[in-house]
Amino acid sequence: NAGVTQTPKFQVLKTGQSMTLQCAQDMNHNSMYWYRQDPGMGLRLIYYSASEGTTDKGEVPNGYNVSRLNKREFSLRLESAAPSQTSVYFCASREGAPSTEAFFGQGTRLTVV
Amino acid sequence: GEDVEQSLFLSVREGDSSVINCTYTDSSSTYLYWYKQEPGAGLQLLTYIFSNMDMKQDQRLTVLLNKKDKHLSLRIADTQTGDSAIYFCAESPDSNYQLIWGAGTKLIIKP
C-alpha cells in the first residue's frame, strides 16, 4: 500500500520562482489536505478539499493555490515563492468527517532563498 | 474559537512514564486523536478516543479524557528511546471536515 505519496521530497527555490507540489492517495479517500509545519507552530492548514470538485481555504492560504485534479490527486502551487514559504509541507487524506483517521505523506522540505 | 493547546517539550528518564497533556475547545468533537511524528517523517495515528469514553488503554498507551474540562492526556508507560518523537493532539469537530491540531509536544528521553 502506497498510501499518500508526495513529490518532491526536497526542493530549493529562488524567490519569485513557481512550483507545484504533487500529492496522490490510493485509498479512495474523499477529503484531502495541505498543511505546512513550522517549528513550534504545529500544523497549519493551507487548503483542503472535502470531496472531489471542491476546495476551501484553510488558516494560511495566501500565496498558494490548489487543484483537486481528480479523487486521487491534490496539488499545491506556489506562484511566486517567498522566503516566508520555507517550510515542510504535508499532504494528508481521510475518508471523510468527522470520524476517520488522517493519513499523511512523508512531507516536502521546501527552502526559498 | 477553535484551539488545541499542548506544551512544547517533555523530558523523561528512560523507563519512567511520560504524560503528555492537551486541552481542546470544541465540545462537539466526537473523536480526539494522538499522532506521532518521528524525525524526518510524516505523522502517524497513534491512538484515538471517542468522546463518550473516559479512558482507553492500548498496550503501553493510556488515553484519559475529561470532557468537562476538555482535557486529554496520553500516558506512555515504560518510556523507551524509540518513543522519542513529537506527539500531536488533534480534535475532529462534527461541524466541518477539518482536524484541529495542537502545536505538538517533543518527547525527550534521558538515559
Side-chain angles (χ1 to χ4, degrees):
Chain A
N1 277 344
V4 179
T5 303
Q6 284 182 241
T7 55
K9 287 190 169 49
F10 301 93
Q11 184 71 49
V12 179
L13 289 179
K14 293 183 179 176
T15 297
Q17 285 186 316
S18 62
M19 80 161 293
T20 300
L21 280 64
Q22 307 286 354
C23 175
Q25 51 93 6
D26 62 2
M27 296 171 282
N28 203 36
H29 286 168
N30 287 313
S31 301
M32 297 185 74
Y33 306 81
W34 275 106
Y35 293 95
R36 59 178 288 173
Q37 184 180 26
D38 301 292
M41 301 189 75
L43 294 173
R44 292 187 290 170
L45 183 65
I46 305 171
Y47 271 93
Y48 69 102
S49 171
S51 60
E52 186 180 356
T54 69
T55 60
D56 286 284
K57 293 179 180 179
E59 183 185 351
V60 289
N62 291 345
Y64 305 95
N65 283 302
V66 289
S67 295
R68 184 74 183 267
L69 303 168
N70 46 55
K71 195 170 186 181
R72 287 189 66 244
E73 298 172 286
F74 188 40
S75 63
L76 177 73
R77 183 157 178 85
L78 286 71
E79 290 291 350
S80 178
S84 61
Q85 294 178 304
T86 293
S87 188
V88 181
Y89 291 85
F90 287 100
C91 177
S93 71
R94 66 197 289 224
E95 195 174 290
S99 60
T100 54
E101 176 184 352
F103 292 82
F104 283 79
Q106 290 298 296
T108 297
R109 187 171 294 275
L110 176 66
T111 303
V112 182
V113 297
Chain B
E2 298 166 339
D3 205 5
V4 175
E5 295 189 353
Q6 310 176 233
S7 53
L8 292 182
F9 297 96
L10 176 67
S11 179
V12 298
R13 292 203 179 279
E14 191 175 357
D16 286 352
S17 291
S18 306
V19 180
I20 303 170
N21 294 302
C22 168
T23 56
Y24 63 97
T25 56
D26 194 323
S27 57
S28 77
S29 291
T30 303
Y31 293 83
L32 295 133
Y33 302 89
W34 284 105
Y35 278 77
K36 179 181 181 182
Q37 184 184 30
E38 295 183 350
L43 282 71
Q44 287 192 302
L45 181 67
L46 195 60
T47 187
Y48 67 93
I49 189 167
F50 297 124
S51 60
N52 63 357
M53 297 169 68
D54 298 325
M55 184 179 86
K56 180 180 180 182
Q57 188 145 7
D58 183 2
Q59 298 183 337
R60 291 191 297 122
L61 304 178
T62 304
V63 178
L64 295 177
L65 176 61
N66 181 328
K67 237 187 138 175
K68 176 176 165 290
D69 295 337
K70 299 192 183 70
H71 184 265
L72 183 71
S73 68
L74 173 70
R75 179 177 180 270
I76 305 172
D78 187 25
T79 308
Q80 303 297 309
T81 54
D83 295 323
S84 293
I86 301 175
Y87 291 83
F88 290 89
C89 169
E91 61 172 332
S92 183
D94 287 359
S95 56
N96 62 51
Y97 290 90
Q98 298 183 34
L99 284 162
I100 313 299
W101 297 89
T105 300
K106 185 170 185 177
L107 180 61
I108 300 161
I109 316 298
K110 296 181 286 188

